[in-house]
């Protein structure tokens, strides 16, 4: 932007930083033509020339190639968003920043009012661009049970994005897992809405504290699709929808102050969220008070015509979505091209258009895009370090704190410090991309550009163990690959078993997109067997090891939980690492060696059965009880919240501040957690509530509060949870949220099935209908306790 333009901008009311934001927005709305208003709700995806490799990075991307408009055709009257300038191809920060400057210059220079576009990028496990830090996947954040670490990570992600000129991030995912077969389980924080909401609030605050807008995904119901199939219909009752699916989103809106929300692709009982006035306006805005922008998932507006078939034409789809409460069409303008004509013809009221434009302009103003000193990308963007030492240190800490020690018979772990022969077997031992989620740049984009490698330093588990155990002799064999059924490498793996004192068997996932991986978007599965020929490898190794008396440590590096029922009793130990990110090798090796004392907890249960689709822990008695009326036992091998340590903990001395409370009261629930072992460690104290008698069927228990506590050997802490009556509320028979009088059972411990402390309190009085703004959080305080 020239200095002459900058001086001129300062004299215009929407560029005047001394005016209130709403005055600047009103001035813009009064100046913009209908065509210019509509253009501010669209977007353009500047796909780089080198992005010609096979394979979409968004659903049905190739189907929209024909007829797509270029930048000149899209931004003639202005532009709302620029899509993934950094995240669509292998672009270094300097090149990406220069592209962003050129694109913004074009957008500003080729419209009457010179309004820049918002630049958005994916940021689920870090800034999705070449050379940026790849943090653990969201499913690992859940296993950490550490909101503070998630917030710190999100702030670092936001700082890196802002440093190169990005304003808006498409994360976090707040879908609650209902079916483990769904490919995008790795993108979620697990199967509990309270855990998901608490960590989601932390991510939102962290990213937005850095000055980057966070976006909640996918609003709502996406993860509850039939048979765990991507984009499949969702058949769900209003009670489950309100009490499970919506909870994390409401927490992020009310407690996190999130500025953006993205719709779900799936239809919910025949209603596509992209066209749902009930979801996008009545619930999100009227009930919860959301004031930000609703952005479409990629091509979701056009899907109203082509996939959902609730609109006859694309233009109709655009009017339908905007009227429901959609504000911005991503990743490219398509259905919204018809909005101006719809206003002129009377099919769309101009005040509906103005409503969305005002929201977008409010963001552009608060982001500084209309300030006189605005620049497209800071001068320092050309030399920013996107994988700094500080980033990597935090990535390693989060990885270490998320790894779950699932089983440890006879103290098989940690591995002994003396010299020994360690066999390392399995595809996850020799392919470091197994640590990375689907939306990391190496798996999301670079997997199609093999000449670029991973773009960051990665260490295989074999190499990490070699560095971690310098006195040991390591032999390794892949055995099988992730997906094919070739068993020709199994004999070599068995030779390694015969030559080992202990075997580390590392199996799991290699994330990808739309069937190009074993986990990730569009990588759904028919059952919960390990991918490819890995079950045969595990069985063969365990059989041979059992014959020889060689202990086997099964290391699962996965994005979803896989069935372990066939293997449990034959392993010496099981370690679950949910896609631990770029520092995953060192983190896993540290746990195996004992340098790291594991403290993660399962954010999804590990099922015993491959089929039969075990449900999550959050179910009523009919869903989870083994009552003998079916030949299928739904109990998991290891449930939600489970996780061991190299030290021991005791949770004791339950305290309940009152025997009863009113229907709008609060009770304090407390206990002492003590490290009874001989080394420092961390334990997650978990509080569950149960409703023994209710007017509707309720879950057998639900997580109401948690606190992760670090303790030295012999040390203790008193953990107190402040439980408001709203935390017992549910949707009653009449369809309203209520607090019902009666007994509430308390269970407190270290996993959903390890709850040694039990008690109860009573809610007195009449049924209370709970209005909007209910208490969504259970504060926990931790204070040292005497030895």
């Amino acid at each position: 932007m020239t200095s002459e333009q900058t001086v001129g901008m300062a004299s215009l009311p929407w560029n005047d930083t001394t005016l209130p934001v709403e005055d600047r927005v009103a001035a813009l709305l009064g100046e913009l033509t209908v065509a210019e208003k509509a253009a501010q709700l669209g977007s353009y995806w500047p796909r780089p020339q080198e992005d010609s490799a096979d394979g979409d990075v968004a659903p049905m991307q190739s189907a929209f190639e024909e007829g797509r408009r270029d930048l000149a055709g899209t931004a003639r009257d202005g532009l709302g968003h620029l899509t993934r300038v950094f995240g669509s191809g292998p672009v270094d920060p300097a090149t990406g920043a220069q592209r962003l400057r050129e694109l913004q210059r074009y957008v500003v220079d080729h419209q009457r009012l010179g309004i820049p576009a918002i630049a958005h990028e994916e940021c689920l496990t870090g800034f999705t661009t070449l050379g940026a830090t790849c943090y653990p996947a969201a499913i690992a954040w859940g296993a950490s049970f550490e909101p503070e670490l998630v917030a710190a990570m999100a702030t670092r992600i936001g700082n890196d994005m802002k440093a190169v000129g990005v304003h808006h991030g498409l994360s976090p995912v707040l879908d609650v897992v209902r079916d483990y077969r769904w490919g995008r389980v790795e993108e979620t924080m697990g199967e509990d809405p309270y855990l998901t909401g608490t960590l989601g609030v932390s991510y939102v605050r962290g990213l937005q504290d850095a000055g980057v807008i966070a976006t909640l995904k996918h609003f709502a119901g996406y993860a509850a699709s039939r048979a765990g199939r991507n984009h499949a219909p969702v058949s769900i009752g209003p009670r489950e929808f309100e009490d499970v699916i919506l909870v994390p989103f409401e927490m992020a809106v009310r407690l996190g102050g999130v500025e953006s929300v993205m719709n779900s692709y799936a239809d919910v009982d025949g209603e596509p969220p992209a066209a749902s006035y009930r979801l996008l306006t009545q619930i999100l805005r009227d009930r919860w008070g959301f004031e930000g922008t609703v952005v479409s998932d990629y091509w979701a507006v056009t899907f109203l015509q082509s996939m959902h078939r609730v609109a006859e034409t694309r233009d109709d789809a655009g009017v339908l979505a905007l009227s429901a409460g959609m504000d911005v069409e991503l990743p490219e303008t398509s259905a919204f091209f018809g909005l101006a004509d719809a206003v002129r013809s009377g099919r769309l009221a101009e005040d509906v258009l103005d409503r969305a434009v005002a929201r977008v302009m409010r963001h552009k103003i608060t982001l500084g895009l209309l300030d006189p000193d605005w620049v497209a990308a800071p001068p320092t963007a050309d030399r920013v370090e996107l994988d700094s030492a500080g980033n990597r240190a935090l990535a390693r800490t989060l990885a270490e704190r998320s790894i779950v020690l699932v089983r440890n018979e006879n103290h098989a772990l940690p591995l002994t410090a003396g010299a020994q022969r360690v066999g390392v077997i399995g595809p996850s031992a020799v392919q470091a991309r197994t640590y990375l989620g689907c939306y990391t740049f190496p798996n999301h984009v670079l997997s199609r550009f093999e000449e670029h490698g991973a773009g960051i330093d990665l260490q295989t588990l074999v190499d990490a163990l070699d560095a971690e155990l310098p006195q040991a002799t390591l032999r390794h064999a892949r055995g099988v690959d992730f997906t094919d059924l070739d068993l020709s490498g199994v004999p070599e793996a068995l030779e390694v078993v015969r030559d080992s004192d202990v075997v580390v068997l590392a199996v799991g996932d290699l994330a990808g997109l739309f069937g190009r991986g074993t986990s990730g978007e569009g990588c759904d599965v028919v059952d919960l067997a390990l991918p490819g020929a890995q079950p045969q490898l595990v069985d063969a190794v365990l059989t041979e090891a059992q014959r020889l008396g060689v202990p086997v440590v099964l290391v699962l590096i996965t994005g979803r939980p896989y069935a372990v029922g066939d293997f449990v009793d034959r392993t010496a130990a099981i370690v679950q690492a949910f896609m631990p990110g770029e520092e995953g090798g060192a983190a896993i090796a540290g746990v195996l060696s004992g340098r790291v004392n594991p403290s993660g907890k399962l954010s999804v249960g590990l099922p015993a059965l491959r089929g039969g689709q075990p449900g999550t822990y959050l179910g009523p008695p009919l869903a989870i009880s083994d009552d003998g009326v079916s030949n299928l036992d739904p109990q998991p091998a290891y449930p939600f919240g489970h996780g061991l340590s190299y030290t021991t903990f005791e949770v004791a001395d339950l305290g309940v501040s009152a025997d009863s409370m009113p229907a709008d009261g609060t009770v304090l629930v407390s206990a002492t957690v003590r490290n009874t072992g001989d080394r420092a460690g961390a334990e997650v104290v978990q509080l569950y509530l149960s409703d023994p008698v209710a007017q509707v069927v309720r879950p057998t228990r639900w997580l109401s509060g948690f606190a992760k506590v670090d303790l030295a050997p012999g040390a203790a802490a008193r953990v107190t949870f402040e439980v408001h009556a709203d935390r017992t509320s549910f949707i009653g028979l009449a369809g309203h949220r209520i607090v019902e009088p009666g007994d509430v059972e308390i269970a407190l411990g270290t996993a959903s099935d390890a709850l040694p402390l039990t008690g109860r309190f009573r809610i007195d009085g009449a049924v209370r209908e709970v209005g909007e703004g209910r208490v969504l959080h259970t504060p926990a305080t931790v204070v040292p306790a005497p030895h």
Side-chain angles (χ1 to χ4, degrees):
M1 188 171 295
T2 65
S3 58
E4 291 80 6
Q5 287 174 307
T6 301
V7 172
M9 285 175 61
S11 64
L12 299 171
W14 47 86
N15 304 123
D16 187 348
T17 59
T18 67
L19 292 177
V21 170
E22 293 307 316
D23 290 354
R24 297 170 72 183
V25 171
L28 266 173
L29 284 177
E31 179 66 22
L32 291 166
T33 67
V34 169
E36 289 169 339
K37 290 175 182 176
Q40 290 297 325
L41 308 184
S43 56
Y44 178 72
W45 192 350
R47 304 177 202 169
Q49 184 68 33
E50 64 267 27
D51 189 15
S52 58
D54 293 335
D56 293 351
V57 296
M60 299 178 65
Q61 174 183 327
S62 55
F64 293 92
E65 289 299 318
E66 185 177 350
R68 69 183 290 260
R69 301 190 191 186
D70 60 11
L71 180 60
T74 302
R76 178 180 57 200
D77 295 307
L79 189 67
H81 274 241
L82 283 165
T83 296
R84 296 183 65 174
V85 176
F86 291 87
S88 300
V91 179
D92 61 62
T95 304
Q98 185 56 32
R99 285 185 177 179
L100 182 59
R101 293 185 187 106
E102 293 168 357
L103 289 162
Q104 291 280 31
R105 186 177 302 117
Y106 186 95
V107 170
V108 168
D109 290 349
H110 288 77
Q111 58 171 301
R112 186 171 63 91
L113 298 184
I115 302 171
I118 292 172
H120 79 255
E121 296 283 349
E122 297 284 0
C123 57
L124 182 59
T125 56
F127 181 11
T128 304
T129 192
L130 180 67
T133 304
C134 294
Y135 294 94
I139 193 68
W141 314 346
S144 78
F145 277 73
E146 293 201 58
E148 298 80 8
L149 280 180
V150 172
M153 174 196 68
T155 297
R156 284 188 169 272
I157 294 170
N159 287 338
D160 288 342
M161 296 170 76
K162 189 174 182 181
V164 296
V166 176
H167 315 105
H168 191 137
L170 303 185
S171 187
V173 171
L174 296 188
D175 293 295
V176 179
V177 175
R178 304 304 282 163
D179 191 324
Y180 302 145
R181 296 172 296 181
W182 191 50
R184 303 186 81 166
V185 166
E186 64 168 70
E187 298 180 45
T188 77
M189 289 169 252
E191 65 186 54
D192 183 81
Y194 181 66
L195 176 64
T196 298
T198 301
L199 298 177
V201 167
S202 293
Y203 185 98
V204 167
R205 289 175 175 169
L207 196 73
Q208 294 188 169
D209 282 350
V212 174
I213 290 171
T215 304
L216 308 184
K217 297 159 55 172
H218 305 85
F219 189 65
Y222 191 27
S225 58
R226 292 180 190 166
R229 183 176 175 273
N230 198 36
H231 287 217
V234 174
S235 301
I236 193 170
R239 195 161 286 107
E240 182 181 353
F241 195 70
E242 286 276 354
D243 288 344
V244 177
I245 303 301
L246 292 185
V247 169
F249 293 96
E250 184 175 2
M251 292 177 70
V253 171
R254 292 192 189 275
L255 305 181
V258 73
E259 290 289 337
S260 182
V261 172
M262 177 179 278
N263 70 282
S264 159
Y265 282 126
D267 74 80
V268 180
D269 193 26
E271 186 179 12
S276 175
Y277 183 82
R278 180 179 65 89
L279 267 177
L280 303 186
T281 298
Q282 291 178 327
I283 293 177
L284 185 60
R285 296 188 185 278
D286 296 345
R287 281 178 48 186
W288 298 350
F290 176 70
E291 295 182 346
T293 56
V294 177
V295 300
S296 80
D297 208 340
Y298 284 12
W299 292 295
V301 180
T302 60
F303 286 167
L304 295 175
Q305 181 235 351
S306 62
M307 302 296 289
H308 296 300
R309 302 183 186 180
V310 295
E312 186 174 355
T313 67
R314 283 192 180 183
D315 288 354
D316 291 343
V319 171
L320 187 61
L322 191 76
S323 300
M326 186 71 69
D327 298 313
V328 179
E329 183 180 20
L330 301 181
E332 298 175 317
T333 313
S334 180
F336 276 13
F337 276 129
L339 294 180
D341 285 343
V343 170
R344 296 186 189 107
S345 68
R347 293 186 297 117
L348 177 68
E350 189 168 356
D351 63 346
V352 174
L353 179 67
D354 287 353
R355 179 183 66 190
V357 175
R359 293 166 184 159
V360 174
M361 290 307 173
R362 194 174 294 114
H363 273 171
K364 291 193 174 186
I365 289 169
T366 56
L367 288 166
L369 271 65
L370 296 180
D371 293 354
D373 60 352
W374 171 81
V375 292
T380 54
D382 295 353
R383 54 185 182 276
V384 66
E385 173 55 67
L386 296 178
D387 191 25
S388 66
N391 284 6
R392 293 195 75 105
L394 181 59
R396 182 180 290 202
T397 298
L398 184 52
E400 291 173 349
R401 302 281 284 191
S402 71
I403 293 171
V404 184
L405 179 60
V406 176
R407 174 179 168 88
N408 193 19
E409 292 300 293
N410 300 316
H411 303 289
L413 289 178
L415 300 174
T416 58
Q420 59 181 319
R421 300 174 303 164
V422 179
V424 187
I425 298 171
S428 292
V430 294
Q431 170 55 277
R433 281 174 46 223
T434 190
Y435 310 141
L436 308 181
C438 165
Y439 269 78
T440 57
F441 198 75
N443 284 339
H444 200 71
V445 175
L446 284 187
S447 58
R448 300 174 299 129
F449 299 93
E450 292 186 3
E451 68 275 14
H452 288 275
I456 52 173
D457 291 333
L458 294 173
Q459 186 181 42
T460 67
L461 182 56
V462 169
D463 289 342
L465 280 170
D466 195 37
E468 190 76 33
L469 303 170
Q471 303 303 316
T473 301
L474 268 63
R475 286 191 58 190
H476 73 271
R478 178 186 291 268
V480 300
D481 209 339
F482 290 96
T483 55
D484 65 44
L485 299 177
D486 181 9
L487 296 173
S488 60
V490 172
E492 181 188 6
L494 298 183
E495 283 298 320
V496 170
V497 175
R498 297 180 193 114
D499 196 34
S500 300
D501 300 314
V502 62
V503 168
V504 174
L505 177 55
V507 293
D509 281 316
L510 184 61
L513 286 165
F514 310 116
R516 301 195 297 271
T518 64
S519 174
E521 185 173 1
C523 297
D524 314 311
V525 295
V526 296
D527 64 27
L528 298 171
L530 285 162
Q534 292 180 90
Q536 291 94 315
L537 173 67
V538 173
D539 182 70
V541 168
L542 290 176
T543 298
E544 184 67 2
Q546 200 167 24
R547 184 182 71 82
L548 298 171
V550 176
V552 176
V553 177
L554 180 63
V555 178
L556 302 164
I557 308 175
T558 69
R560 66 162 61 83
Y562 286 105
V564 296
D566 291 343
F567 310 136
V568 168
D569 294 338
R570 303 155 66 193
T571 61
I574 299 175
V575 172
Q576 173 69 63
F578 289 115
M579 290 183 173
E582 65 181 30
E583 288 288 325
I588 296 169
V591 168
L592 296 178
S593 73
R595 174 177 55 82
V596 175
N597 191 356
S599 61
K601 299 285 185 175
L602 293 177
S603 51
V604 285
L606 294 186
L609 304 174
R610 300 181 179 189
Q613 189 40 44
T616 71
Y617 95 98
L618 197 65
L622 288 179
I624 64 175
S625 64
D626 177 23
D627 52 16
V629 300
S630 170
N631 62 312
L632 295 179
D633 181 355
Q635 296 297 321
Y638 298 97
F640 173 83
H642 171 80
L644 306 176
S645 171
Y646 292 147
T647 188
T648 55
F649 295 93
E650 176 189 73
V651 181
D653 303 324
L654 177 68
V656 183
S657 64
D659 294 331
S660 64
M661 68 173 174
D664 61 353
T666 299
V667 65
L668 301 180
V669 179
S670 58
T672 298
V673 56
R674 187 178 304 277
N675 184 342
T676 56
D678 58 4
R679 65 174 293 179
E683 181 59 279
V684 180
V685 180
Q686 303 168 42
L687 171 66
Y688 294 84
L689 299 180
S690 302
D691 195 343
V693 179
Q695 62 180 257
V696 300
V697 175
R698 302 281 285 131
T700 56
R701 63 174 58 97
W702 64 91
L703 183 70
S704 179
F706 65 89
K708 194 165 189 175
V709 184
D710 284 274
L711 293 169
R718 190 71 177 171
V719 182
T720 301
F721 297 99
E722 185 179 331
V723 183
H724 192 277
D726 286 0
R727 301 291 289 119
T728 73
S729 68
F730 58 91
I731 303 300
L733 284 172
H736 306 297
R737 181 167 295 280
I738 62 171
V739 170
E740 192 175 39
D743 287 342
V744 176
E745 295 180 346
I746 300 164
L748 200 148
T750 58
S752 61
D753 72 338
L755 301 166
L757 303 184
T758 59
R760 65 176 55 206
F761 59 85
R762 186 169 183 82
I763 296 176
D764 294 328
V767 171
R768 168 178 159 250
E769 187 166 319
V770 181
E772 293 302 324
R774 75 185 190 278
V775 175
L776 293 161
H777 182 53
T778 303
T781 58
V782 180
V783 297
H787 283 254

